[in-house]
């Protein structure tokens, strides 16, 4: 960033659509690196079944797993929050939760502090140790 934002590398664009070749790069490049660093014929003989049998099976399995798992998305209200002319999402308060969840939140309040907006002091719910 010392040189300015125009000198940053361009972001790599990719798709979230399932593609069979997404998982190949991370597995092929170490094998190619191992083959380049090893000058013995044994390494090449070991990589032949990997490239011919295991890699296509792995690629098919990876593609099936990508088809079964889809990218999660935030709700539309949250994605549009902060944009001009769009509604602001409602803030969540303690009273929005059921009583058993409220009790659990209050019992764990020592791990995160509740700050009163009006006074600027930490709120004590009477269960401090």
């Amino acid at each position: 960033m010392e040189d300015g934002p125009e000198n940053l590398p361009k972001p790599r664009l990719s798709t979230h659509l399932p593609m069979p070749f997404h998982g190949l790069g991370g597995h092929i490049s170490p094998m190619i690196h191992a083959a380049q660093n090893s000058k013995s014929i044994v390494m090449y003989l070991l990589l032949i079944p990997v490239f011919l049998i295991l890699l296509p099976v792995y690629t098919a399995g990876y593609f099936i797993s990508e088809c079964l798992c889809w990218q999660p998305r935030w709700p539309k209200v949250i994605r549009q929050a902060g944009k001009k002319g769009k509604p602001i999402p409602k803030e969540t308060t303690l009273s929005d939760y059921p009583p058993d969840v409220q009790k659990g939140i209050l019992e764990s309040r020592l791990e995160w502090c509740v700050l009163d907006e009006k006074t600027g002091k930490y709120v004590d719910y009477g269960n401090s140790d």
Side-chain angles (χ1 to χ4, degrees), residues 60-109:
Y62 191 85
F63 178 64
I64 290 170
S65 73
E66 274 193 336
C67 290
L68 295 175
C69 302
W70 195 253
Q71 182 85 13
R73 291 182 64 173
W74 287 101
K76 187 175 183 178
V77 175
I78 295 176
R79 281 186 278 130
Q80 292 180 345
K83 293 184 179 177
K84 189 174 181 178
K86 298 296 180 182
I88 298 174
K90 179 182 162 282
E91 288 187 18
T92 305
T93 61
L94 189 62
S95 61
D96 293 336
Y97 296 102
D100 56 332
V101 175
Q102 287 182 15
K103 184 176 183 266
I105 291 173
L106 291 176
E107 287 174 354
S108 67
R109 70 152 178 76

